[in-house]
Amino acid sequence: SGGHRVPRSAVQLLAPVGDPEKVICVGLNYRDHCVEQDVKVPKEPIIFSKFPSAIIGPFDDIVHPEDSTEVDWEVELAAVMGKKGRHIQEASAMEHVVGFMVANDVSARDWQKRNGRQWLLSKTFDTFCPLGPALVTKEAVTDVHNLRISCSVNGRVMQDSSTEQLIFRLPSLIAWVSRFVTLVPG
């Protein structure tokens, strides 16, 4: 109705999902990003995770860790599970999704190159996963593989792409990951 509006400056938007059991991420899953990074397109999904302590609201400050000199960012599509499942078939994978939101995959690139080149520590510093500002239900999304995604840093557009660029589409990713772990709501 507009009768109970609060100025944006008077509120702090929290992440739409606050304390999930798992945050499962897919690395190098956009064709244009692979070209930009001059790396081969992966044959299988590259899976990593972020801890819930990395999650912050969409406009919260990302804390630059003292241990890193190379903090970087990537805009991502986040799918939120609404139904528990293990060994989910690709054909029914979207039945397990409740909706989508914007995620920012913040990374300490110097740590990504250290520590045996494993990604976990570089990707999951506290505050390294801003989410939101909203969770959009899957019914409101006509085609999840045709969404524009962009990232601005201090008002300057740093990334501008589309989910058309996804190498592994969402149903196949859900089926792939659920081979190894149970996916749960949130």
Side-chain angles (χ1 to χ4, degrees):
S1 70
H4 301 296
R5 291 187 178 221
V6 176
R8 166 68 187 96
S9 60
V11 297
Q12 177 187 8
L13 293 179
L14 302 176
V17 175
D19 192 22
E21 181 180 296
K22 298 175 181 84
V23 180
I24 300 169
C25 308
V26 185
L28 298 173
N29 196 32
Y30 286 87
R31 287 189 194 287
D32 54 354
H33 184 59
C34 289
V35 170
E36 173 187 87
Q37 297 292 316
D38 195 28
V39 296
K40 291 181 183 177
V41 171
K43 294 186 185 326
E44 294 179 329
I46 298 171
I47 305 298
F48 64 94
S49 62
K50 289 185 180 272
F51 298 138
S53 61
I55 294 173
I56 58 174
F59 303 110
D60 291 346
D61 291 335
I62 297 165
V63 176
H64 191 289
E66 291 179 17
D67 291 333
S68 177
T69 59
E70 296 178 38
V71 174
D72 199 5
W73 56 86
E74 297 173 70
V75 63
E76 302 289 351
L77 169 71
V80 180
M81 304 308 290
K83 180 177 162 187
K84 184 177 181 177
R86 177 91 198 267
H87 300 288
I88 300 168
Q89 297 300 307
E90 191 171 330
S92 62
M94 295 306 286
E95 295 171 19
H96 291 261
V97 174
V98 71
F100 310 99
M101 62 184 159
V102 175
N104 193 330
D105 173 19
V106 181
S107 305
R109 295 291 185 207
D110 44 356
W111 275 93
Q112 200 167 351
K113 298 169 195 164
R114 292 173 61 179
N115 198 23
R117 299 187 71 79
Q118 62 81 26
W119 291 9
L120 179 65
L121 294 179
S122 70
K123 298 279 193 173
T124 198
F125 278 92
D126 289 351
T127 75
F128 270 26
C129 190
L131 296 177
L135 187 145
V136 179
T137 63
K138 69 179 175 186
E139 293 79 15
V141 176
T142 306
D143 182 0
V144 70
H145 298 108
N146 189 22
L147 299 172
R148 182 173 169 260
I149 57 170
S150 66
C151 176
S152 296
V153 177
N154 298 326
R156 182 171 159 226
V157 176
M158 303 302 284
Q159 288 180 285
D160 190 11
S161 188
S162 169
T163 56
E164 290 176 318
Q165 292 285 321
L166 285 172
I167 297 163
F168 303 102
R169 301 278 173 139
L170 195 51
S172 67
L173 286 172
I174 292 169
W176 172 266
V177 171
S178 73
R179 289 171 51 192
F180 306 98
V181 297
T182 301
L183 299 177
V184 296

